[in-house]
Amino acid sequence: MNLSLERYRDIVFRQDKSTIEKYFQRLNRRSAQYDDDVRAFDRQIETESSRRLAGWKADLQNFAVNNSQDHYYFGMAGFIAAEFLPTDRLGLALGITPLPPLVNQANRLIPKGLFSRVSDKGLYLGERVFVGQEVSHLFGQAGAVINGKTIRTVPTDVSARFQGMGYLDPMTNTFKSAPINQTLEVDHIFPVKEIMRLPRFKKLTTEQQISIIHDRVDIGNFQPLPKTFNASKGSKLDWATYRQNDVNPAYERDLINRQIEIENSIQRQINLFYKANRGAK
Amino acid sequence: MMELSYPYICKIQSEVPREALTHIDQKILDRMGGSFSELFPEFSRVFGGASRAIDKLWSPPKLVLQKGLREWAAYIVVQSEAENLFFMLQPEFMEKEGELFDEDYQMLPESWKELYRWFNSFCITQKNYCPMNWWNTPFRFSARLDLDDFEQEGGLSRQDTERFVESVGLKRSGLTCFLLTENGDALFVSEEECDGRVFHVNTKDMGIVTEIKDPKSSLDQYLEHYLSGGKPEDYSFIG
């Protein structure tokens, strides 16, 4: 399936239900086929020797690459991913039956034991296979201290969800496909540091704070970014330069708009939690 | 004056798009079309000098809006020939008075709460849209700096900031910077003490700390100076 960016935007912003339904159906068929292969791989990996593992990985990698086009369009930017991943809000709002979540499939296939078998190599099974990555890159996300407890700011399932997706290139403000054999990092569009300084955030329970940082409340605060961009952006809000080059002005401006919107949405959620807590007392 | 980069630019209430109306406080809508002081009377009562400078030297206020997927971003902007002064409006669902509002900003001197009641501070910029980070005017609330971040932003060493902590005599973890100027002047409060005290320090010598006796007047005078085109380096917080 080859969908132009213009057509994609048309679908997204006009929320064309019938087109989205067809799109979901098509994705569903692809996913079922893919899931079968992943399950087969899962069974094989339990029983076969590591010598044969390389061949299976290559096969699965080819399969994933060949089938990633659909997923690519779902994941071009963090907010789009949040809206369009099968389990998420827009699909449900439009009355479309959610797909068996690919994310869950991926999670099921990332037992810790699997990584230990490939030692210093990372193996990621979801919508793509990653070979040759250090394991730490797959889950090497930053941490935050919440009420004395250190947490990952990007949980592993979220990191998994964004692999293989495209990303919005900050230098050109165009969507690019995910780099092959490279783990995408997951960026908080509105930084954790600022979330933690919003009014009333620190008065929430630990679980509520974590749910906001992990975006379990479905704000859409995550976006995939190649590591080099994510490192440059860091926790900056006005991110204007990358390696002494200007970030695309339209990207910079859009990022600010998104940040403000997300800040407001997060604050709305904090207020809801806070008032619920007060009411419960 | 430069053209503003927002899809909706409204001088009076009737120009505000219908779908945005519920996202903006009714008081703001009702006061549109007047001067800055009329739009924000509470702020003007406290920061009279700054408000007079805005009324006198900047254009009448406009409401500018940007629609997002779920939320609207709204600003009041006043303009000079080459610069814009943006006030980032608080969302309509945030309390503007009462117990919750007071709790949110309890670390601030009473008068400084006006910096965050109707808007989330303000900034002067040569851009045609409101940035997220700035200095020379008080920070957005969630952009205020703890001492670790201040150390990093100011290019200081741990030794420098520890000298500051020692001079202030308060816990490092509670000290928060609400204003940093390009001249290195910084105003701190303690979020642990919440006693309304404000401390001035300059990054050039973190060992010299002065408690500001009248935080309201001191900040108002600085803002009047800066909003009138004065340079931060030409203003002294400590007389």
Side-chain angles (χ1 to χ4, degrees):
Chain A
M1 186 170 181
N2 196 358
L3 196 66
S4 72
L5 177 59
E6 289 70 27
R7 181 64 186 135
Y8 178 75
R9 283 188 160 159
D10 192 47
I11 292 169
V12 170
F13 292 112
R14 292 190 185 177
Q15 300 188 357
D16 178 338
K17 182 176 174 180
S18 65
T19 309
I20 294 171
E21 277 178 334
K22 285 178 193 164
Y23 200 38
F24 270 86
Q25 286 162 5
R26 189 159 184 169
L27 181 63
N28 209 356
R29 286 197 296 275
R30 295 271 184 124
S31 299
Q33 182 190 352
Y34 180 48
D35 289 348
D36 285 346
D37 273 33
V38 171
R39 283 192 203 97
F41 179 82
D42 201 20
R43 285 194 298 273
Q44 286 171 323
I45 202 169
E46 294 297 329
T47 55
E48 299 290 340
S49 69
S50 60
R51 184 176 57 80
R52 298 181 63 185
L53 188 61
W56 297 332
K57 281 194 292 192
D59 289 345
L60 195 57
Q61 182 176 30
N62 288 334
F63 180 84
V65 170
N66 292 336
N67 286 280
S68 64
Q69 188 75 0
D70 289 343
H71 306 303
Y72 166 64
Y73 285 103
F74 278 93
M76 286 190 290
F79 75 95
I80 289 173
E83 293 290 352
F84 274 83
L85 273 174
T87 53
D88 279 314
R89 193 170 38 246
L90 184 58
L92 292 169
L94 291 171
I96 299 167
T97 306
L99 293 170
L102 294 175
V103 173
N104 289 349
Q105 296 291 348
N107 287 340
R108 193 175 57 79
L109 294 168
I110 310 177
K112 286 175 184 170
L114 185 61
F115 282 128
S116 69
R117 289 181 196 213
V118 290
S119 64
D120 60 334
K121 304 285 187 186
L123 175 60
Y124 174 85
L125 298 177
E127 291 152 62
R128 286 273 177 97
V129 177
F130 292 81
V131 181
Q133 300 290 306
E134 288 183 11
V135 173
S136 61
H137 286 185
L138 294 175
F139 299 112
Q141 302 290 345
V145 178
I146 300 290
N147 295 335
K149 179 182 171 187
T150 302
I151 63 155
R152 276 199 179 100
T153 53
V154 180
T156 51
D157 66 314
V158 171
S159 183
R161 188 205 299 176
F162 282 94
Q163 300 309 316
M165 291 179 171
Y167 67 96
L168 188 60
D169 178 22
M171 308 312 287
T172 61
N173 202 34
T174 57
F175 292 107
K176 295 207 167 160
S177 54
I180 303 290
N181 286 346
Q182 192 184 114
T183 307
L184 282 175
E185 294 200 344
V186 179
D187 167 56
H188 282 82
I189 298 170
F190 187 71
V192 172
K193 192 181 278 187
E194 291 229 10
I195 292 174
M196 294 173 68
R197 290 181 189 151
L198 287 170
R200 305 170 201 176
F201 179 81
K202 291 191 174 165
K203 294 176 181 169
L204 303 184
T205 66
T206 302
E207 290 71 26
Q208 288 168 337
Q209 292 182 19
I210 292 172
S211 75
I212 288 173
I213 288 172
H214 286 177
D215 201 18
R216 304 293 188 205
V217 289
D218 212 12
I219 302 280
N221 193 22
F222 289 125
Q223 65 171 341
L225 273 182
K227 185 175 184 174
T228 180
F229 286 129
N230 197 32
S232 171
K233 178 175 177 284
S235 60
K236 295 185 194 77
L237 281 146
D238 288 338
W239 182 40
T241 56
Y242 167 72
R243 292 185 175 171
Q244 299 179 328
N245 293 311
D246 288 342
V247 166
N248 182 284
Y251 179 93
E252 183 187 349
R253 171 68 200 279
D254 289 347
L255 181 64
I256 288 174
N257 288 339
R258 286 288 297 142
Q259 287 167 335
I260 292 170
E261 190 188 7
I262 290 168
E263 178 181 2
N264 286 348
S265 294
I266 291 175
Q267 186 67 62
R268 195 186 283 276
Q269 183 63 51
I270 290 171
N271 289 7
L272 287 171
F273 277 148
Y274 181 69
K275 287 176 182 174
N277 295 348
R278 279 168 64 105
K281 280 178 187 171
Chain B
M1 280 176 217
M2 78 178 82
E3 199 171 318
L4 296 165
S5 173
Y6 286 92
Y8 302 98
I9 300 169
C10 316
K11 289 180 183 168
I12 53 175
Q13 184 173 346
S14 61
E15 293 173 350
V16 179
R18 183 187 296 265
E19 54 182 326
L21 289 173
T22 55
H23 295 264
I24 300 161
D25 281 287
Q26 190 59 45
K27 277 189 180 174
I28 299 286
L29 293 169
D30 291 343
R31 293 170 184 163
M32 283 179 71
S35 66
F36 175 83
S37 297
E38 289 166 337
L39 188 60
F40 298 118
E42 298 95 338
F43 177 87
S44 297
R45 270 195 292 276
V46 172
F47 295 105
S51 299
R52 276 193 299 278
I54 296 170
D55 284 340
K56 187 176 166 188
L57 300 170
W58 296 77
S59 73
K62 295 171 197 158
L63 173 69
V64 297
L65 299 160
Q66 174 84 44
K67 184 176 189 280
L69 289 171
R70 300 176 205 101
E71 306 278 352
W72 286 73
Y75 309 85
I76 292 295
V77 57
V78 295
Q79 297 181 280
S80 67
E81 276 307 313
E83 291 179 316
N84 295 315
L85 172 54
F86 284 100
F87 295 79
M88 190 179 270
L89 286 182
Q90 294 281 14
E92 91 292 347
F93 56 81
M94 287 303 284
E95 285 77 6
K96 310 296 188 304
E97 57 190 2
E99 184 192 352
L100 290 179
F101 173 81
D102 286 333
E103 267 181 27
D104 291 341
Y105 302 104
Q106 63 186 345
M107 75 292 284
L108 294 172
E110 195 61 31
S111 56
W112 284 24
K113 291 179 182 175
E114 296 308 328
L115 298 166
Y116 301 101
R117 187 185 302 276
W118 290 102
F119 39 81
N120 191 356
S121 194
F122 46 89
C123 71
I124 292 180
T125 177
Q126 293 179 348
K127 292 181 176 177
N128 59 4
Y129 59 90
C130 185
M132 290 294 272
N133 284 338
W134 56 75
W135 54 4
N136 296 330
T137 53
F139 294 126
R140 283 181 305 107
F141 189 71
S142 62
R144 67 198 192 277
L145 301 172
D146 63 26
L147 206 45
D148 290 348
D149 286 336
F150 183 80
E151 187 179 294
Q152 199 178 352
E153 293 279 323
L156 300 166
S157 65
R158 181 52 59 118
Q159 199 179 3
D160 289 329
T161 52
E162 280 302 311
R163 282 175 66 212
F164 172 65
V165 173
E166 196 177 320
S167 299
V168 171
L170 296 170
K171 278 188 188 168
R172 181 185 178 95
S173 57
L175 290 165
T176 308
C177 175
F178 272 83
L179 172 72
L180 175 62
T181 75
E182 63 197 44
N183 189 46
D185 289 302
L187 298 182
F188 278 83
V189 304
S190 168
E191 299 205 9
E192 289 189 1
E193 300 295 323
C194 293
D195 55 4
R197 295 165 77 198
V198 176
F199 301 93
H200 169 271
V201 71
N202 190 289
T203 52
K204 296 179 190 94
D205 188 345
M206 293 294 288
I208 301 177
V209 179
T210 309
E211 183 175 345
I212 302 283
K213 288 197 172 61
D214 183 352
K216 167 174 138 12
S217 299
S218 184
L219 184 59
D220 186 34
Q221 284 162 18
Y222 165 73
L223 289 174
E224 181 177 13
H225 166 80
Y226 180 62
L227 297 175
S228 302
K231 292 179 179 171
E233 67 202 50
D234 295 332
Y235 181 84
S236 172
F237 281 93
I238 51 177

